[in-house]
C-alpha cells in the first residue's frame, strides 16, 4: 500500500492518462448502482468512477494514498463525494451501503490471504440488507504478467505538459506466493531522467476467492469473466464476483 505509483505525485500524474482507454467497468457498476442509493468505492484511486456516480448516488470513496485523493478531490464532481483516506482492510465508516465495489484490480494489491480476507470482511461489514458487491481481479491462468516486459509493454504516453513520454514494465512471477513483482518506468522526453518504481500484486485463484467470500458471509450470485457481463470461464481474463450478503 506504499507503492510510489499510488503515493508519489510524479507517478500519480500518469495514472488517469494510462487508464483512460475503455470504461466497461464504469458502465457495469453504474448500471448496478441504484439511482438515489449509496455506494462505497474501496480503493477509489483518483476518483474517476466515484465522482461520476456522485451525480446519481450518495458516494463515499476510500483510498490509503493521499496523492490519489488529492487528484480525486479536485476533479469535476469531486465535491459531491465523501473522501476517506484509509486502508480497505481496516476502514469502518459507520454506515452501510447499497453497493460496495473495488475496480481497477484494486483487490490485487492485498498480497496475502489474511489481507484479502480482511478486505472481504470490510465489504460484508458495510453492505446494507439487500446490498450488492462487486470487484475484479485478473485470472492467474491467463498469465497477464508475461506481457509486462520491455518488448511487449513499451509504449509512448502523451502527457499534457511533459510531452511524449516513453513507458514500459518489467515483471517477475513467484509461483510459490502467486505474487507478481513488477516495475513501472517512465523516460522523460529527449532522453531525460527515468522514473522507476517497484510494485507487487497478487493473483488469487477463483477457488480460493470462493472460499474466502463464503467465510466472510458473502454470497456470489454471478461470476463474470469480463466487464461486458460474460460468464466466467477458465480462459477469462478477469474474475469478477457479483453478490450480496448471505
Amino acid at each position: 500500500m506504499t507503492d510510489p505509483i499510488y503515493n508519489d505525485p510524479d507517478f500519480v500524474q500518469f495514472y488517469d492518462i494510462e487508464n483512460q482507454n475503455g470504461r466497461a467497468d464504469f458502465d457495469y457498476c453504474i448500471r448496478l448502482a441504484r439511482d438515489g442509493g449509496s455506494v462505497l468505492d474501496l480503493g477509489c484511486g483518483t476518483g474517476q468512477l466515484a465522482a461520476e456516480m456522485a451525480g446519481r448516488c450518495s458516494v463515499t470513496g476510500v483510498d490509503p494514498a493521499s496523492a490519489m485523493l488529492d487528484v480525486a478531490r479536485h476533479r469535476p464532481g469531486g465535491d459531491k463525494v465523501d473522501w476517506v483516506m484509509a486502508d480497505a482492510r481496516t476502514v469502518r465508516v459507520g454506515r452501510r451501503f447499497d453497493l460496495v465495489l473495488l475496480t481497477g484490480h484494486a483487490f490485487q494489491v492485498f498480497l496475502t490471504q489474511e489481507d484479502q480476507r480482511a478486505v472481504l470482511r470490510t465489504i460484508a461489514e458495510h453492505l446494507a440488507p439487500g446490498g450488492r458487491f462487486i470487484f475484479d481481479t485478473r485470472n492467474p491462468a491467463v498469465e497477464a504478467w508475461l506481457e509486462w516486459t520491455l518488448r511487449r509493454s513499451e509504449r509512448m504516453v502523451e502527457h499534457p505538459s511533459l510531452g511524449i513520454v516513453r513507458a514500459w514494465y518489467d515483471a517477475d512471477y513467484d509461483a510459490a506466493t502467486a505474487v507478481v513483482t513488477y516495475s513501472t518506468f517512465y523516460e522523460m522526453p529527449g532522453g531525460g531522467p527515468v522514473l522507476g518504481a517497484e510494485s507487487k500484486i497478487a493473483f488469487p485463484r477463483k477457488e480460493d476467492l470462493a472460499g474466502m467470500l463464503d467465510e466472510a458471509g458473502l454470497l456470489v450470485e454471478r461470476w463474470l469473466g469480463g466487464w461486458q457481463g460474460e460468464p466466467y470461464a477458465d480462459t477469462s481474463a478477469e474474475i469478477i464476483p457479483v453478490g450480496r450478503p448471505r
Side-chain angles (χ1 to χ4, degrees):
M1 301 306 295
T2 58
D3 287 353
I5 60 171
Y6 306 123
N7 289 274
D8 185 338
D10 287 343
F11 285 92
V12 171
Q13 67 180 321
F14 290 102
Y15 186 85
D16 286 351
I17 299 171
E18 292 264 61
N19 291 278
Q20 63 184 342
N21 294 326
R23 52 166 292 137
D25 54 345
F26 283 25
D27 292 340
Y28 196 97
C29 290
I30 289 169
R31 289 195 300 270
L32 198 61
R34 225 171 39 220
D35 283 344
S38 55
V39 177
L40 176 61
D41 185 353
L42 292 172
C44 63
T46 59
Q48 289 177 289
L49 178 56
E52 183 168 342
M53 296 182 84
R56 55 185 287 178
C57 302
S58 168
V59 181
T60 297
V62 174
D63 202 276
S66 60
M68 302 288 265
L69 290 179
D70 285 344
V71 175
R73 292 187 181 98
H74 292 94
R75 70 167 56 256
D79 58 329
K80 299 182 176 67
V81 179
D82 180 18
W83 304 109
V84 178
M85 190 170 72
D87 190 313
R89 293 170 292 188
T90 56
V91 65
R92 297 293 184 269
V93 301
R95 59 176 293 200
R96 294 181 181 267
F97 297 82
D98 299 314
L99 177 64
V100 179
L101 59 88
L102 297 86
T103 58
H105 306 117
F107 188 78
Q108 290 185 252
V109 305
F110 303 102
L111 303 182
T112 67
Q113 287 199 0
E114 179 182 0
D115 287 340
Q116 293 157 12
R117 287 187 174 96
V119 175
L120 297 179
R121 287 194 297 270
T122 294
I123 293 174
E125 287 284 337
H126 288 90
L127 277 173
R132 312 287 293 284
F133 72 87
I134 186 168
F135 65 89
D136 59 353
T137 181
R138 298 175 184 89
N139 184 0
V142 178
E143 299 182 328
W145 57 85
L146 296 179
E147 299 298 318
W148 301 344
T149 65
L150 169 61
R151 182 173 64 84
R152 295 184 178 183
S153 68
E154 186 177 16
R155 60 205 180 277
M156 304 309 253
V157 177
E158 186 173 353
H159 190 282
S161 59
L162 297 175
I164 304 300
V165 175
R166 177 173 170 253
W168 68 95
Y169 299 122
D170 186 25
D172 181 66
Y173 175 66
D174 183 349
T177 61
V179 168
V180 168
T181 301
Y182 71 98
S183 295
T184 304
F185 298 98
Y186 294 107
E187 183 181 56
M188 297 302 106
V194 175
L195 295 175
E198 184 179 279
S199 307
K200 294 179 183 290
I201 54 174
F203 280 76
R205 301 181 308 155
K206 176 177 177 286
E207 297 78 6
D208 294 330
L209 286 171
M212 290 187 285
L213 283 158
D214 184 62
E215 290 174 12
L218 297 170
L219 176 66
V220 178
E221 297 174 316
R222 297 191 302 281
W223 290 94
L224 304 180
W227 285 107
Q228 299 296 335
E230 62 270 31
Y232 172 82
D234 290 343
T235 56
S236 296
E238 306 280 348
I239 304 172
I240 306 174
V242 186
R244 58 178 174 80
R246 190 172 59 239

